[in-house]
Amino acid sequence: MGWRSDTGAGYVTSSWTGLATTLMDATTDKDPSVQEQIYSALCYLGEAEPEEILNCCDEYLRQHEKLAYPHRVTILKAMETVVKNNMSHLDKSTAKVVIFLASNEMTKSKEIVHEWQQAASNVLVAVGQRFINKVMEEVLTKFQPGILPHYFIMQTFANLSVSNVFGMVPFLNSILGTMLPMLGMAKQDHMKSVFCYALQHFSESIQEYLANLDKAPDPTVRKDTFSNEIFSAYDVLFNSWLQSREAKLRLAVVEALGPMSYLMPGDKLEEQLPKLIPGILALYKKHVETFYVSKSLCQILEASVNIGSRTLDTQLDALLSALHPQICAPADPSVPLMVKNHTEVLRCFTVLACSFPDRVLAFLLPKLENSNERVRVGTLLIMRQIINCAASQMEIKKPFILSSMKLPLQDSSDKVKRAVVQVISAMAHHGYLEQAGGEAMMEYILRQCALPLDTGPKKQMPEGDDFTSDSVRSISINTRFLISTTVDGMSEVLWPYLLEFVTPVQFTSALTPLCKSLMHLAMKKQEEGEAAVLIHYDANPNLPSPSALTTRLLVVSSQPYLGDGQGAAALRLLMGAAALRLLNGLHSSIHPTLGPLWNAAIPPLVEHLEEHTEKSLSQKEWEDKLLLFLKETLTVISDKSWICQFSTEMCKQLNSYNGFPLEKTFLYKCMGTPLRVCPSKDMVHKQLQELLETARYHEEAEREGLASCFGICAIGHLDEALAKLEDFVRSDIFKKSVGLFSIFKDRSDNEVEKIKSTLILCYGYVAMYAPKELVLSRIEADILKNVFQYFNTKDLTLKLSLIRSICMISQAIYHSVHSGAFVFSRKAELISQMMEFIKAEPVDAMRSPIRQRAMISCTYLATLEPPLGHTERAELIDCCLNSVLALPPPEVMRERDSTVTDTCLKDLYRDTINALKDLMKSLLQKDLTPQGLHDMFEHLNRWIKSAREHERERAMEVSVALLERYREKLHVSTVVPFFNLGVLIALFSPRCSDSLASVRQHAVDCVYYLLYIQLCYEGFAQDYRDEMVEKLPALKKGLEEPDFTILFHTCYNIAMVIGKRVPPEQLMSLLLTMFESLADPDKNCSRAATVMINSLLKERGAVLLEKVPDIVSVIHSKLQEVDEEHVRKSVQQTVYILASQHCTAVVCSLLGSSLPFDSQARVMWKSLATEPTLTAQVLELLLEKVNRDVPYKENKSSLLSSGSARVATVLPLAATCALYEIMSALESGAAVLGLYPQLFVTLLLRVSCTVGVQLPKNLQCKERKSASHGPVPRPLDPCSCAVETLKIMLTQGGSADVTNAVASADGWDLMKCPERHHDGVALLASAMAKHAGPRLPLIVKNLLPVLNSVYDIQRITTTAFFAELLSSNVVNDLVLLESMMDNMTGRQKDPCTTVRMLALRGLGNIASGSPEKVRKHGAQLLASMINGMDDKDDPHNLVALEAMSSLSKLLDHVEERDIHSMLLHIAIRIRPFFDNESHELRQSSILLFGSLTKFSEGSCEDVFFEQILNGLVTLLLHLQDPQPEVVKACKFALRMCGPSMGCEGLRDMFRNHLREERGLHYGEFLNHVCKHLMQTYPEMLPRLISTNLFYFKSIWPDLRAAAPMFIGFLVLHVDPEHCRQVDLDLLIAALNLLLKDPVPAVRMKVAEALGRLVRVL
């Protein structure tokens, strides 16, 4: 048998051999993952018995000479790993065996088979780590003088020299001696290449040996030991092989020459340099991959320098000329060799610069002037390299290098700029910037920091050229910051020098980093003391003055979010904060008194800025904060000369901001502040004069800024400001003659208009800012007299300035101290002028804001005294309404004028409408009476009734605004009549059905406000809320959709509210005015006809019984001709009246309509649902029609077929369709409720009987014909009709939740499927139990007789319904349980398998619905389940499956005494199902098994424990079942079995790792399980293995893979004393057979298991 016994080492050896042989036999597997696993298994065996396995591999490879090389490679790789991992345990004899085998494998084939021979070579190299002498002894036998060695002999030598330097170098002298003569024998390129490879690594090893002589075994070894041999080899390589046409060989030669040059005799190297260097340089032209050439060249140069070569001097020019282009060619970062080549070439330059600094610089510096951009960039890169790496040699060259940078500093190329910045960075770290000329470098850096941000789309640059101005800018910012913060000694250079760059506008973009650097420098200076940070302006004449610094930093802080893009905006935000912080840091150098103020004021400003975003920050609020800060600053300083100087400096900086309109405007405002507080009137005159002379009037921002400056100045110097403006008005500027303002004499007419605009704005700002107590006295005398001169103009800018100025003047008057007593005599004149501006605007376009701003001016003017007369008021209103309301819609204006953007037009349109509403409200407020309101709407009346939608919409919007304002401002002191209420309501209420939804909404609002105004006039309080009126806003929702039914219904409700709230005396005027709105075409004629018909039927319909069919037919035909909805509604009323008199006749006539029912027939059926009593009669008649006839007839399916088909009978089908139509009417609900049980049972059985039933052929043809002519509203399929009717019945019967619940689970579709019909019925029963429990008693009562129906399908339906009901407690609550359980028990003998299965399901469901009843009937229920499992007429095990599932439910509730007697029987009966092909059976049987464990205690414990052991392997393996449900069942069963296993470790593992929600790492889990099993039940090992062997033939690959893994883990953890239980031969044979499995994953696990068998050997 081969059982393990104490027969000694011989058996063990044979077992090792057998196991290893099995694995090596499997190396022929073609799947890479299986091969990898076999390799791992061999390695695993080798870890346990390295020498045994190595010998076994040796024997196997020797015995299988014909084994293909890919399989030999796997074995050799395993051997290499075993050797590496067990080097210290290897004895010499085994090492010798391995060396001999590897040597033979490596050299067996004369041809090169790379993968095979490389694997053998690797084994030799691995063994050589310890047994170098043994390896060399073997390999040298195949390295004989005069005989060209095998390729891999040389490669092995090379690799050994790298892996074991100290062991290999002593052999190299003799190897080189033998090898040198062979070089001439090598004819093939691959042999030449391997010789080069060997020489390269030999040379590197020798260098390493010589560098570590203190650790070397032979410290007497010297370089000259190898020099002559290396030189001899060099002679062949350089003079012969380097000339080869084969590129790979040339590269191999080059790679070798570099390391060899270190070992060549000094004189020989010196002698060869004139040939060697040109020879290497020539390769640059022959090879694309130049890295190896550059690396070798660098090594040669280093070797030459080491010997103090004098010949190198003569090669320098050639070297520089060859190396320089290598750097100038761009290196693609995605190609590593190109980047490495750059690095090596730069190293070459470093070597040369250290030896020949003058000549290298003389070569490089002229290249900076080259016209080729790449040459300039490359040269700068080299300069950076030698500045960094040849620092001592370059020390005395610093001035020369600095002066040579002048041209690169002027280069415009982004790539050159970036390179220059990098050079300057290197200079800074090596003390260049402290030299003369260093400041120019810093200025250059700052200029690059100031480059504009590139916000355009990024373009893909060729050849990896990704340098842009953004990258130059970012690297410059980083470089400048690092220089100022990290380079020692730079603070003395940069402070206060960097301040020179704060004020020039061209450095604006660099201000953020510049301010940060200055702050850093200032803080460092502060650490030295207050005196150190103080700026000495006299010693630094180029520095900006304190005034200049303050002005500049304040201005840039004003626009924190101004930028070309998001990045730019963020940068400006940082700039604003950085500028303020710097300002604070400089306070002592600005003015000695500012410290306390600025320390307190600036941090809150910075905090405010940082707390906001671009959207949340108010620009006006921010500017006001800065201006207040400036005012407080000037107050603290209170130094006349300083303030005057400050004002002069601001004036100087104005022109710097040309092109920066927002900053310049703010600067103007800032200028107004010192002028406002300046004590010198002469200074104020002088400054204002200079501003007027230098302003750029053609720019809007400039005009705005200058006017703001005058206004702010006027706060403190009103008369001076007015006087200067008066001089300006009287100047010759407008006369074009020489005078005080002669500077303007050459201005064009257009420019003169812009100057006038500025003047007008100045007057407006002066009026607005002037002291409130002084302004009234200056308005007409000094301001308006000059403004009025310029109204006669067509210039747009001047018009807008005039309007704005008038606005500001009006506001100034209104807010003045004595405004109430001030009579503005020129008010009417100004309003007239504004109206002229409005009238001049085009009526078909909106191109400028003149119309809007003129109305705003009129609004402000209207508030002033005296009030407007009636005529002037009416004229103003009509002018504005005509100008705005008549405009075309915005989209039309946009199409006509493409110059205006859509956003601008929308904004201007919105602002214009708002301006009109504000003006109208302002005028109304002046006459807040019913008459005033009446006058307003006299002007609006024609617009409200306009034929144009957009005019009506605007008029209604204005009307709402007026009425809302009227109600808000109305304060009634005495009760007065609102005499025009009726007229106004009649004006608006018809508009509630307007074609525009917005007009309809506005109309309701108007009625709403009018009714509340009336209530106010009746004496109710302003905040009173009327219940009826408050219904109006809720009714607006009904006006959103243009559905006339909803509209008219809503209008009816609105009229009800109006009727209840309009006073009696207003009713007549309301009606009379509404009569005027009846001009719209209407359908009253057709409505009158239907009224007459209905009237006659009510009067005489009782005698028309015989004519009912004819009447019904006529109504049906007329409905086809009628389109008007209201008429159709009236016709439905006609049908209702007729049916209320002759119900049966009408129903019979309608049932005679052809199927499918057309729309007219459906309308007529629905009309019968309007009154509950009639509807109930109709439903009862239709139920009788459904039940009385047979549901289908059996017809032959075809003439050639013997089978039959079920065809629906017509009358029940028509009645079913009619029931649907009636119950689909909302009004049918009450009648449906009354007949709920009868309807439900009839329709459920109707669904049952129509499953799989066909339409009669004549109806099939008709349905197809109808479908071809248009969409059929509902399918005529009998089952679908029945289902839809049942659904509508449930919905109308108050059980919509049932319908939805079934639909959400696709239950309705299941009901129509013959195979799943009972599942759909179960879903319906569940929903009924949950949502319609009280309906069930009568339904159950009506269904019980159906259990004996002749139709199988009806029995199935009823049983399925009852079975699901039993899962709900509602049947117990309704005292239905006993009878239903008895009926289910009785169905176990039913001839239909499905009925029997459903009966068992119902009995099992009692556990869910009425668990307390299970104990009472436990024995009966268990008997039923056992009978079900033993059902003989159950070929597909459906009944057994249901019995197991139901039994699992019952087990939680039965008495233990009832189950004990059956426990073993059940366990044995269900065990075969564990591996059944049906996953439902597997799942149910395993779940039941898990549940049974609860009853295993006591007398059954030992018996059931045996059953657990029998099923344990199965359950563990099925954790890999392809079905998730089965996996979940296994987890449950194992958790339940855990406590019975007698092993705490297993119990905890099953409980913790097998939770349903937790994922399972199967291999790790199984490993731990096997560990516990072998610790607790080691004697079970044979039993567990044999059970697993059974699953080697499983149909599921995952189980076939899991079984060998299970065995592998078992043997991994078994104790040595129990190993002998394993029948190893049988096990290996079975695993060997499974290694042929078609699934790679299975074979992988087998290989893994084979590796673990080492434990039982």
Side-chain angles (χ1 to χ4, degrees), residues 1151 1155 1157 1185-1186 1190-1191 1208-1219 1246 1250 1254-1256 1259 1275-1279 1281-1282 1285:
L1151 282 173
L1155 291 173
F1157 292 145
K1185 303 291 184 186
V1186 173
V1190 293
T1209 49
V1210 175
L1211 184 59
L1213 178 60
T1216 305
C1217 294
L1219 283 167
R1246 175 66 187 169
T1250 53
Q1254 301 175 1
L1255 277 174
L1259 289 182
L1276 199 55
D1277 170 65
C1279 191
C1281 283
T1285 307

Side-chain angles (χ1 to χ4, degrees), residues 1365-1643:
L1365 283 184
L1366 285 168
S1367 68
S1368 170
N1369 192 44
V1370 72
V1371 296
N1372 191 32
D1373 295 342
L1374 299 173
V1375 199
L1376 301 172
L1377 178 66
E1378 305 291 343
S1379 62
M1380 290 175 66
M1381 188 175 75
D1382 292 342
N1383 279 281
M1384 290 294 97
T1385 305
R1387 288 299 97 204
Q1388 283 189 270
K1389 302 299 182 183
D1390 197 281
C1392 176
T1393 304
T1394 305
V1395 173
R1396 298 199 304 278
M1397 180 267 291
L1398 290 171
L1400 286 173
R1401 181 178 298 175
L1403 293 172
N1405 284 344
I1406 296 174
S1408 304
S1410 307
E1412 68 281 1
K1413 297 292 184 181
V1414 175
R1415 291 183 181 274
K1416 179 180 177 182
H1417 302 285
Q1420 177 187 347
L1421 293 170
L1422 289 174
S1424 296
M1425 299 305 138
I1426 297 297
N1427 291 337
M1429 283 191 280
D1430 294 334
D1431 195 315
K1432 304 301 182 188
D1433 188 16
D1434 185 18
H1436 301 295
N1437 291 312
L1438 293 177
V1439 179
L1441 173 63
E1442 194 57 55
M1444 288 188 289
S1445 178
S1446 297
L1447 183 53
S1448 294
K1449 300 176 192 174
L1450 293 170
L1451 286 178
D1452 287 334
H1453 308 287
V1454 296
E1455 296 282 356
E1456 287 192 18
R1457 63 175 182 273
D1458 293 330
I1459 193 68
H1460 275 165
S1461 60
M1462 306 177 184
L1463 187 62
L1464 185 59
H1465 175 79
I1466 296 172
I1468 294 171
R1469 180 68 181 88
I1470 65 176
R1471 178 66 184 81
F1473 292 124
F1474 285 10
D1475 295 304
N1476 194 281
E1477 291 187 18
S1478 166
H1479 70 86
E1480 291 96 343
L1481 283 167
R1482 296 201 302 280
Q1483 178 190 9
S1484 292
S1485 59
I1486 292 170
L1487 284 174
L1488 179 55
F1489 185 79
S1491 299
L1492 289 173
T1493 58
K1494 292 183 291 187
F1495 302 94
S1496 63
E1497 296 179 359
S1499 59
C1500 300
E1501 185 171 356
D1502 293 336
V1503 175
F1504 199 77
F1505 177 62
E1506 187 64 24
Q1507 295 302 317
I1508 291 176
L1509 294 180
N1510 287 338
L1512 182 62
V1513 171
T1514 301
L1515 294 175
L1516 287 168
L1517 291 177
H1518 275 284
L1519 287 172
Q1520 291 292 86
D1521 197 281
Q1523 294 296 329
E1525 298 88 352
V1526 179
V1527 174
K1528 192 179 292 186
C1530 288
K1531 286 183 175 183
F1532 166 76
L1534 286 167
R1535 288 200 308 273
M1536 297 301 292
C1537 291
S1540 302
M1541 292 291 294
C1543 174
E1544 189 174 339
L1546 281 175
R1547 183 196 65 197
D1548 293 342
M1549 282 204 66
F1550 291 167
R1551 184 180 62 205
N1552 297 328
H1553 291 269
L1554 298 180
R1555 294 200 298 269
E1556 283 190 13
E1557 73 280 0
R1558 181 170 177 174
L1560 183 66
H1561 190 292
Y1562 184 71
E1564 183 180 335
F1565 169 77
L1566 193 59
N1567 182 21
H1568 286 93
V1569 168
C1570 291
K1571 179 179 179 181
H1572 288 298
L1573 283 173
M1574 290 298 95
Q1575 288 174 353
T1576 310
Y1577 307 110
E1579 70 282 353
M1580 283 181 57
L1581 180 61
R1583 182 174 173 183
L1584 293 171
I1585 289 177
S1586 63
T1587 309
N1588 274 291
L1589 291 176
F1590 167 77
Y1591 285 94
F1592 280 18
K1593 298 179 181 179
S1594 171
I1595 62 172
W1596 297 294
D1598 288 338
L1599 267 69
R1600 293 203 305 278
M1605 179 165 61
F1606 199 149
I1607 292 173
F1609 286 135
L1610 286 170
V1611 299
L1612 180 65
H1613 296 294
V1614 69
D1615 289 337
E1617 60 268 22
H1618 292 96
C1619 292
R1620 66 193 63 185
Q1621 301 178 64
V1622 180
D1623 186 345
L1624 198 58
D1625 293 342
L1626 175 64
L1627 180 55
I1628 292 176
L1631 288 168
N1632 198 13
L1633 187 62
L1634 195 58
L1635 265 176
K1636 299 176 175 60
D1637 195 278
V1639 180
V1642 176
R1643 302 200 299 275

